[in-house]
Amino acid sequence: MTRDSDAPTRSVRMEDLVALCARRGFIFPASEVYGGINGFWDYGPLGVELKNNLKARWWQRVVRERDDVEGIDSSIICHPRTWEASGHVEHFSDPMVDCRACKKRFRADQLDDVGACKEGGAHDFTEARNFNLMLKTFIGASEDAASVAYLRAETCQSIFTDFRRVREVARQKLPFGIGQIGKAFRNEINPRNFTFRSREFEQAELEFFVAPADREEWFRYWMDERFAFHRELGLASDRLRLRDHEPDELAHYAKAAADIEYRFPFGWQEIEGIHDRGDWDLSRHTEYAGKDLSYVDDQTKEKFVPMVIETSVGIDRTSLALLCDAYDEEEVEGGDRRTVLRFHPSIAPIKAAVLPLSKKIAEPAERLARDLRRRMNAFFDVSGNIGRRYRRQDEAGTPFCVTYDFESESDGQVTVRERDSMRQDRIPIEGVAVWLQERIEA
Ligand code: GAP
């Protein structure tokens, strides 16, 4: 029912999208009453539903549907040695320069768009110095070096440190994976492009452990699998691509890597990374923790450190891609314009809105909405004229509006309006839930 995601698409202006997100309560600045806090965002009633739908879909596809993947939910704060072993203490930094005149700090590799110096004249930059991007905190009563800890910079490190326990309790053999969804924190110097580069964000990561001989095959497998996932979300084919990393782009742990990129209004950008991490992580944690994280093949009795293929998707970045992709404006009958979010029904925050034509028939319509709510996120709206109510649902991306009118009482039917085509079908009330479910899951 949604627009053909292979059809050529037009681009949204970021300012229009940001305004819609705030107006309709998808996403707005965190601590807004204090003027916001740079790099932090809150998701409102519609935003949290969108994000939860995306996470549920990832969990379903990557964890639940597979018997070779287990899920975990680990703590955000890990033992500080974790980040020494992972290389983050040593390598996870950006080169920074300070301006001696205006005292502002900039990324040394992004000086082209820093603008003029507030003190007038040109910036007077210091030499570049490395600035670690991990967010620090202290554990316990004292704030000394011994009590330093970090908010995790990626969710995957606990997957490595939990590898042995999870493999044993789940009685898994190679190849198998461990997935988790959770918050990550990075002290980004220059948060920008709305939620695209934030200081607090969510990742959904899978670490898939394989025998050394199988790593290339599994790297290709997960690349294809993950690309298909984004297409199934409805992201347009002309805005999605896979890009292999050049050797000089590889992270310190990666042997090979590819990005799934989306064409945002501000250009092609990564939404997911697929990395061949080799045996870097398990070997390093073996060394730093002094615990053996190797694997013994029970057929060949060969002992080795498994190789890791990682898929790491940003939930916030993908939510932003879904919003950009869904946004459309069009002229409708009577010269009116409407803004419409053309989400795939399976990820739309609200699946159906029940709209009684008059307050006089609100009660049976509300009964229908209550019934639908047991199976899907349904919304009930009795206020305003029907055209205005349709527009509100178009802006929320609701794929179906169910109108309860005066005939509904006598013929036991309602009118279902489809968001994109605005086509209307008259269907029996008792069949509405199944009718909707079939289309949402299609
Ligand atoms: N464990 C590997 C890892 O963390 P990454 O490429 O640094 O790799 C993976 O991050 C994904 O996390 C990215 O593709 C992106 O979607 C998301 N991500 C990373 N930094 C982010 C930020 N500052 N704001 C929002 N999302 C971010």
Side-chain angles (χ1 to χ4, degrees):
M1 57 124 314
T2 47
R3 83 169 147 60
D4 173 7
S5 66
D6 281 325
T9 48
R10 67 181 197 83
S11 211
V12 54
R13 292 185 328 147
M14 278 312 284
E15 50 271 43
D16 293 337
L17 185 72
V18 172
L20 174 81
C21 282
R23 184 168 78 244
R24 294 311 314 266
F26 276 95
I27 308 171
F28 40 87
S31 310
E32 202 173 11
V33 294
Y34 289 101
I37 167 165
N38 196 9
F40 297 90
W41 299 93
D42 287 350
Y43 288 72
L46 294 175
V48 68
E49 290 291 339
L50 176 68
K51 208 152 78 129
N52 282 346
N53 290 342
L54 175 60
K55 289 191 279 185
R57 208 178 161 99
W58 185 90
W59 195 260
Q60 177 63 27
R61 282 302 297 275
V62 177
V63 181
R64 282 223 185 121
E65 275 174 22
R66 306 185 61 106
D67 57 12
D68 58 356
V69 176
E70 306 292 336
I72 62 164
D73 180 18
S74 70
S75 67
I76 283 175
I77 294 185
C78 312
H79 192 289
R81 291 274 285 166
T82 307
W83 304 107
E84 290 173 32
S86 70
H88 280 76
V89 170
E90 192 183 343
H91 296 289
F92 197 53
S93 51
D94 279 339
M96 306 299 304
V97 295
D98 293 305
C99 172
R100 294 187 187 88
C102 67
K103 312 286 181 225
K104 281 189 77 175
R105 181 165 283 180
F106 304 95
R107 269 181 65 163
D109 54 352
Q110 290 176 358
L111 293 179
D112 288 345
D113 55 357
V114 296
C117 179
K118 271 201 323 234
E119 297 303 308
H123 287 286
D124 178 13
F125 290 128
T126 59
E127 287 295 302
R129 278 179 302 142
N130 278 337
F131 177 84
N132 195 285
L133 298 184
M134 279 196 295
L135 271 158
K136 243 186 216 167
T137 187
F138 297 96
I139 295 177
S142 42
E143 294 195 359
D144 53 23
S147 46
V148 165
Y150 302 98
L151 305 191
R152 65 183 174 201
E154 55 181 8
T155 60
C156 61
Q157 288 305 322
S158 329
I159 295 182
F160 301 125
T161 53
D162 288 350
F163 164 73
R164 195 160 113 185
R165 169 145 339 248
V166 175
R167 185 180 65 72
E168 284 170 3
V169 296
R171 295 172 33 238
Q172 283 283 4
K173 295 194 169 105
L174 256 49
F176 85 98
I178 304 176
Q180 107 158 306
I181 300 178
K183 292 270 190 178
F185 302 83
R186 295 182 189 177
N187 199 2
E188 299 283 358
I189 305 310
N190 195 4
R192 59 180 166 171
N193 289 328
F194 199 18
T195 57
F196 179 82
R197 192 173 300 289
S198 307
R199 290 177 166 145
E200 174 177 338
F201 54 94
E202 268 182 294
Q203 292 182 317
E205 298 201 294
L206 166 73
E207 308 303 319
F208 200 76
F209 302 95
V210 303
D214 301 337
R215 59 198 291 195
E216 277 170 37
E217 181 193 332
W218 280 105
F219 180 68
R220 278 197 304 277
Y221 169 88
W222 281 110
M223 237 167 31
D224 293 345
E225 192 68 12
R226 297 304 305 148
F227 192 76
F229 176 88
H230 291 280
R231 289 287 285 130
E232 283 163 25
L233 291 176
L235 292 178
S237 58
D238 65 337
R239 292 204 185 120
L240 207 56
R241 73 178 183 194
L242 251 172
R243 190 182 66 79
D244 285 324
H245 277 210
E246 299 298 331
D248 64 347
E249 274 182 276
L250 293 176
H252 60 270
Y253 52 75
K255 298 274 191 301
D259 287 344
I260 297 177
E261 295 187 333
Y262 179 77
R263 185 159 52 84
F264 288 96
F266 42 87
W268 284 102
Q269 297 286 348
E270 169 192 347
I271 54 176
E272 171 153 4
I274 297 110
H275 306 122
D276 174 348
R277 297 179 73 116
D279 61 357
W280 161 267
D281 304 276
L282 291 181
S283 298
R284 293 278 288 194
H285 288 302
T286 298
E287 180 191 338
Y288 278 67
K291 299 274 163 27
D292 184 6
L293 299 178
S294 60
Y295 176 84
V296 179
D297 186 312
D298 58 5
Q299 309 253 287
T300 63
K301 305 296 172 215
E302 192 195 347
K303 184 175 174 179
F304 57 89
V305 178
M307 300 284 152
V308 173
I309 306 301
E310 171 184 76
T311 74
S312 176
V313 62
I315 296 298
D316 307 81
R317 279 193 192 174
T318 307
S319 300
L320 183 59
L322 288 168
L323 282 159
C324 290
D325 217 68
Y327 189 100
D328 199 7
E329 287 173 24
E330 68 177 3
E331 196 159 311
V332 287
E333 243 177 58
D336 255 12
R337 283 192 75 71
R338 70 166 183 157
T339 302
V340 53
L341 293 182
R342 301 186 193 276
F343 293 127
H344 189 287
S346 64
I347 55 134
I350 300 170
K351 309 297 184 205
V354 180
L355 315 173
L357 217 48
S358 149
K359 286 195 173 123
K360 292 190 191 118
I361 43 175
E363 207 185 301
E366 201 166 5
R367 255 201 317 276
L368 173 60
R370 264 203 306 274
D371 180 46
L372 291 179
R373 272 194 201 122
R374 297 210 312 263
R375 311 171 196 224
M376 65 190 73
N377 193 26
F379 186 76
F380 177 74
D381 186 5
V382 74
S383 59
N385 78 40
I386 192 72
R388 209 166 303 139
R389 280 184 274 166
Y390 282 153
R391 294 288 170 272
R392 280 206 290 264
Q393 293 309 315
D394 289 343
E395 273 199 349
T398 307
F400 302 103
C401 287
V402 181
T403 310
Y404 194 100
D405 56 28
F406 290 101
E407 270 92 79
S408 302
E409 290 289 87
S410 51
D411 71 0
Q413 302 205 46
V414 283
T415 302
V416 185
R417 170 196 182 262
E418 195 273 311
R419 177 196 65 208
D420 295 348
S421 61
M422 293 186 278
R423 179 190 144 150
Q424 307 207 351
D425 285 307
R426 192 97 183 136
I427 63 169
I429 294 173
E430 70 267 15
V432 173
V434 173
W435 191 98
L436 291 171
Q437 211 122 35
E438 275 171 11
R439 280 152 186 83
I440 291 162
E441 285 160 15

